[in-house]
Amino acid sequence: MDHPLLQHKLSILRDENTGVKDFREVVSEIATLMCYEATRDLPLEEVEIKTPITTAKFKTIAGKKLAIVPVLRAGLGMVDGILTLIPSAKVGHIGLYRDPDTLEPVEYYCKMPNDIAEREVIILDPMLATGGSASAAIQFIKNYEVKNIKLMNIIAAPEGIQRVHHDHPDVDIYCAALDEKLNDHGYIVPGLGDAGDRIFGTK
Ligand code: PRP
Ligand code: URA
């Protein structure tokens, strides 16, 4: 996504001098802006509305139900920004962390809305690095028989995009920036560092 507001806010996140409070606020603002793009294809229906002047037909969002699923921890930072635009969305949670040695995702928590199979799901995680966590999160949600899944990442590495496209070609990826590469520790370059640590102030 190349909107100037997104690019500006992303540069704030990348700056190592940005503190926890601003980092959190800007992650949330970016999620709101990205949500605007990622919901562009929501179906509309015509309804009759009486304005103070006359009655006419107008568009509203058709009955499609949405759920958002943040990948813990860092995905939590994007939830409020999405709910600003879609306040009635249900929220599931997946807990995954990357093993620092193998870089493989390890699952530690999962709680989904009961009717998740009937909903379109947007998975939230600020970082798409090797793609291991995203691919596992998508598979998890597919196991609940969800048909329509989107992935929303603030920054992605080419390796992560390739992995998700390979494992889940049916899932569209929405990202604000596509960075250059991964370093030897699996961090995105230039990236923004460890998103979870920067959102929660754990480093
Ligand atoms: C980060 C990030 C993603 C994952 C991306 O989480 O939020 O979930 O790494 O890396 P991958 O694409 O190589 O799987 P992390 O494992 O650091 O856990 P945390 O959110 O608890 O800090
Ligand atoms: N997870 C992060 O938080 N940052 C990266 O650069 C890669 C994975």
Side-chain angles (χ1 to χ4, degrees):
M1 295 177 190
D2 56 1
H3 194 287
L5 284 173
L6 270 172
Q7 292 192 52
H8 178 84
K9 289 177 190 294
L10 200 44
S11 299
I12 296 173
L13 292 190
R14 292 185 189 278
D15 187 338
E16 66 173 4
N17 293 314
T18 299
V20 174
K21 174 180 175 289
D22 289 339
F23 193 90
R24 241 180 238 153
E25 283 173 7
V26 173
V27 164
S28 186
E29 288 169 3
I30 287 178
T32 304
L33 294 170
M34 292 184 74
C35 178
Y36 183 78
E37 283 295 333
T39 52
R40 192 174 276 283
D41 62 351
L42 283 180
L44 293 168
E45 63 187 2
E46 279 204 334
V47 293
E48 204 168 78
I49 289 178
K50 189 172 177 303
T51 77
I53 310 299
T54 185
T55 297
K57 290 200 166 158
F58 299 100
K59 310 255 190 228
T60 61
I61 291 180
K64 192 149 195 174
K65 295 175 172 179
L66 278 170
I68 54 175
V69 178
V71 177
L72 309 183
R73 292 177 296 170
L76 288 174
M78 300 171 75
V79 170
D80 283 352
I82 305 287
L83 293 179
T84 300
L85 293 186
I86 315 175
S88 58
K90 288 201 176 171
V91 184
H93 294 85
I94 297 181
L96 291 174
Y97 70 87
R98 243 182 14 164
D99 182 290
D101 298 320
T102 64
L103 300 184
E104 287 300 314
V106 182
E107 182 218 328
Y108 60 90
Y109 185 76
C110 180
K111 181 80 182 170
M112 294 295 149
N114 287 339
D115 60 352
I116 187 92
E118 295 149 36
R119 293 178 176 263
E120 173 175 332
V121 170
I122 305 178
I123 300 174
L124 310 175
D125 193 331
M127 309 304 277
L128 179 62
T130 64
S133 305
S135 184
I138 293 167
Q139 189 53 55
F140 231 83
I141 290 169
K142 283 186 173 174
N143 293 346
Y144 284 85
E145 316 230 322
V146 175
K147 302 286 173 312
N148 195 340
I149 301 173
K150 290 175 176 169
L151 175 66
M152 191 188 290
N153 307 111
I154 296 181
I155 301 182
E159 293 88 334
I161 301 259
Q162 218 172 13
R163 167 86 188 261
V164 173
H165 278 334
H166 175 267
D167 293 353
H168 304 286
D170 53 313
V171 172
D172 286 335
I173 306 172
Y174 295 83
C175 55
L178 176 58
D179 275 12
E180 210 182 303
K181 59 179 182 184
L182 297 179
N183 68 15
D184 293 342
H185 304 287
Y187 277 86
I188 299 176
V189 181
L192 52 71
D194 187 305
D197 282 342
R198 296 198 64 189
I199 290 170
F200 296 106
T202 40
K203 222 170 231 170

